[in-house]
């Protein structure tokens, strides 16, 4: 028996909490999740666990002073004490000039299919995780590889309410799976990752076979000099850099001159060509393959939004304080990312590439320069030289320095998009992006790591 609270129970709890409030206004955010995982390594299952957590965050506001308290004590006394404590803190806190007033306008929340009822059957979900792990271990054993992987599936409910009548609710399921194959000598490796809101849509077998094929193909990797090479980025690698691009789309940073989207004299790059004309990036919580969250800050609805169209920057996300200050409408950040692509599946598209380095995954991405959005990181678990549509040989890993903006400026072509997940980032943002072929990618130095 798990103590996961459903939306109705969270709604009732939120109503009860706000009934205790004596502040000018108050808001409460509630979340209840149940997450299960299975980990395997060295061709055997090592860990299987699960946890359930319900959390409540209460904010009391008087004038420009606010106090917030988080608790998981859901007893009447515990909730009453939490509200009183939030009000006490609000009385002691300094005035916050950036505190936005409560949201009062009725919101039009999009419909999202992110909650898959089949994935909430805990016994069935556990069986699926076991089958996937068994399949990966069987594949590794057949090749005398060592495999390691992690499967995690969760059920998540959340509710937001304020004392001005705004009520928002959301629920989703999510499964992620990553698998690594490594040769017995530890000199070759292959990796793949998949994610979906529905376990039944998770193409785990394909991920297992792909990581196994990569491990075989990387054996005997050759060294290449660092430099700028044409490159093919698999969808997960694209997702890694695209999320960095999306996080930087902040209106305040741009208007205050602190981002790659800033222009002189307080102007921004909105409406201007920033990347290749073929590039179209948008978000839509109602997308059928990567459905996502429907509300953001203070219960604000997350609309379908064009971020880049025809290579032009179309929107920057804007929080409620900055929207009020700048006299513009607030716009939440994306809860999923979709990038249009071409007409061929990634594996078919690769056969059309004349030459380039095939990047399968990035590792340890860090900032170098916010003004150009240049990042640094490493390639990992499979880097290959492709010529005449075929992988010719494995290549030793590189450290790279590159900007997602430059990557998108250099796009030659792409495959059809696929559901994928970033390796070095936030699993919570569903991604539907293509494999892309770029005219130049900056590999800065060699890396000996496998």
């Amino acid at each position: 028996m798990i103590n996961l609270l459903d939306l109705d129970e969270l709604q009732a709890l939120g109503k009860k909490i706000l009934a205790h409030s004596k502040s000018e206004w108050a808001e409460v955010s509630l979340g209840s999740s149940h997450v299960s995982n299975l980990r395997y390594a060295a061709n055997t299952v090592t860990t299987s666990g699960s946890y359930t957590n319900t959390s409540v965050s209460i904010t009391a506001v008087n004038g420009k002073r606010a106090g917030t308290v988080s608790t998981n004590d859901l007893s009447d006394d515990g909730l009453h004490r939490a509200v009183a404590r939030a009000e006490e803190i609000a009385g002691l806190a300094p005035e916050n000039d950036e505190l936005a007033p409560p949201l009062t306008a009725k919101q039009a929340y999009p419909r999202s299919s992110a909650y898959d009822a089949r994935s909430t059957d805990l016994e069935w979900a556990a069986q699926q995780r076991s089958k996937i792990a068994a399949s990966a271990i069987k594949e590794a054993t057949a090749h005398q590889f060592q495999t390691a992987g992690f499967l995690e599936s969760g059920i998540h409910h959340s509710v937001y309410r304020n004392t001005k009548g705004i009520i928002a609710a959301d629920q989703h399921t999510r499964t992620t799976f990553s698998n690594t194959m490594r040769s017995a000598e530890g000199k070759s490796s292959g990796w793949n990752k998949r994610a979906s809101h529905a376990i039944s849509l998770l193409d785990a077998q394909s991920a297992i076979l792909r990581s196994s094929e990569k491990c075989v193909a990387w054996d005997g990797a050759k060294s290449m000099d660092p430099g700028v090479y044409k490159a093919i980025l698999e969808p997960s690698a694209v997702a890694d850099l695209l999320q960095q691009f999306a996080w930087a789309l902040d209106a305040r940073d741009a208007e205050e001159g602190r981002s790659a989207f800033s222009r002189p004299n307080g102007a921004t790059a909105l409406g201007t060509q920033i990347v290749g004309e073929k590039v179209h990036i948008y978000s839509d919580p109602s997308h059928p393959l990567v459905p996502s969250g429907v509300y953001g800050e203070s219960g604000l609805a997350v609309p379908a939004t064009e971020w880049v169209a025809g290579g032009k920057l179309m929107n920057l996300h804007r929080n409620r304080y900055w929207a009020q200050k700048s006299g513009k409408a607030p716009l939440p950040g994306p809860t999923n990312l979709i990038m249009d692509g071409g007409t061929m599946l990634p594996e078919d598209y690769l056969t059309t590439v004349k030459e380039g380095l095939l990047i399968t995954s990035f590792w340890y991405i860090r900032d170098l320069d916010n003004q150009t959005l240049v990042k640094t990181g490493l390639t990992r678990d499979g880097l290959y030289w492709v010529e005449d549509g075929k992988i010719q040989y494995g290549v030793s890993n590189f450290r790279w320095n590159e900007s997602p903006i430059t990557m998108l400026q250099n796009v030659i072509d792409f495959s059809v998009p696929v559901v994928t997940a970033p390796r070095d980032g936030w699993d919570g943002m569903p991604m539907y992006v293509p494999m892309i072929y770029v005219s130049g990618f900056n590999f800065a130095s060699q890396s000996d790591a496998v």
Side-chain angles (χ1 to χ4, degrees), residues 101-115:
L103 189 68
T104 57
K106 186 178 180 182
Q107 300 291 295
Y109 297 109
R111 297 180 66 85
S112 173
S113 58
Y115 190 78

Side-chain angles (χ1 to χ4, degrees), residues 405-447:
I405 297 173
T406 306
M407 175 188 77
L408 295 171
Q409 289 170 342
N410 289 340
V411 169
I412 299 172
D413 206 353
F414 22 50
S415 73
V416 295
V418 297
V419 178
T420 188
R423 178 173 189 167
D424 191 15
W426 184 35
D427 274 335
M429 181 181 284
M431 303 278 244
Y432 187 61
V433 302
M435 166 186 279
I436 67 171
Y437 184 32
V438 297
S439 59
F441 196 91
N442 183 27
F443 299 93
S445 61
Q446 293 177 341
S447 168

Side-chain angles (χ1 to χ4, degrees), residues 186-189 214 217-227 229 356-362 377-386 391-400 441-450:
K187 295 180 179 178
S188 179
S189 180
K214 288 181 189 175
W218 206 36
D219 190 33
K222 300 179 181 179
S223 292
M224 288 179 66
D225 291 332
Y229 292 96
L357 280 167
L358 174 63
I359 303 168
T360 59
S361 91
F362 292 131
L378 299 159
T379 60
R380 277 292 182 272
D381 297 310
L383 180 68
Y384 310 91
W385 180 251
V386 173
I391 292 176
Q392 301 296 323
Y393 48 82
V395 176
S396 297
N397 283 305
F398 284 111
R399 171 168 290 282
W400 53 268
F441 196 91
N442 183 27
F443 299 93
S445 61
Q446 293 177 341
S447 168
D448 292 333
V450 174

Side-chain angles (χ1 to χ4, degrees), residues 16 18 54 66 77 81 101 113 127 144 171 208 254 261-262 279 303 344 381 404 411 413 419 429:
K16 180 195 292 185
L18 293 182
T54 296
D77 284 347
R81 284 197 302 272
S113 58
Q127 291 171 354
Q144 297 184 316
Q171 58 181 356
I208 292 166
F261 306 111
S262 301
V279 177
M344 303 176 73
D381 297 310
V411 169
D413 206 353
V419 178
M429 181 181 284

Side-chain angles (χ1 to χ4, degrees), residues 259-383:
S259 90
F261 306 111
S262 301
R263 296 295 182 265
N265 302 317
T268 71
L270 274 174
T272 67
Q273 197 83 31
I274 59 167
V275 295
E277 291 183 357
K278 292 181 179 180
V279 177
H280 180 205
I281 301 168
Y282 62 102
S283 56
D284 182 359
S286 299
H287 193 283
L289 295 178
V290 283
S292 62
V294 301
Y295 74 87
E297 176 200 6
S298 301
L300 200 62
V302 177
T305 304
E306 298 267 9
W307 301 103
V308 176
K312 293 182 179 180
L313 182 63
M314 305 304 290
N315 280 294
L316 294 167
H317 44 81
R318 188 179 299 275
N319 68 29
R320 296 182 60 246
Y321 161 72
W322 196 247
Q324 185 183 46
K325 183 176 176 67
S326 55
K328 298 175 182 174
L331 179 63
T335 53
N336 62 4
L337 277 179
I338 302 131
M339 179 176 173
D340 282 351
T343 58
M344 303 176 73
L345 292 171
E347 53 269 31
D348 295 332
Y349 179 74
L350 191 63
T351 66
T352 69
V353 173
K354 186 172 181 180
E355 65 173 23
L357 280 167
L358 174 63
I359 303 168
T360 59
S361 91
F362 292 131
W363 181 249
Y364 210 76
I365 299 172
R366 293 295 181 269
D367 296 338
L368 279 186
D369 179 13
N370 287 337
Q371 294 289 342
T372 56
L373 211 58
V374 171
K375 309 290 178 180
T376 189
L378 299 159
T379 60
R380 277 292 182 272
D381 297 310
L383 180 68

Side-chain angles (χ1 to χ4, degrees), residues 3-4 44 48-49 99 114 144 159 163 169 203 210 243 269 275 280 317 334 338 383:
N3 295 316
L4 180 71
T44 189
S48 178
L99 184 67
Q144 297 184 316
V159 164
T163 50
D203 192 359
R210 188 75 179 127
Q243 68 177 353
V275 295
H280 180 205
H317 44 81
I338 302 131
L383 180 68

Side-chain angles (χ1 to χ4, degrees), residues 138-157:
K138 182 179 179 181
E139 174 70 14
T141 304
H143 290 275
Q144 297 184 316
F145 291 158
Q146 295 285 307
T147 188
F150 186 65
L151 282 141
E152 185 173 77
S153 49
I155 308 164
H156 308 272
H157 301 140

Side-chain angles (χ1 to χ4, degrees), residues 122-138:
L122 299 182
E123 185 174 343
W124 177 82
Q127 291 171 354
Q128 304 314 302
R129 292 193 297 274
S130 296
K131 288 178 181 177
I132 293 170
S135 181
I137 292 170
K138 182 179 179 181

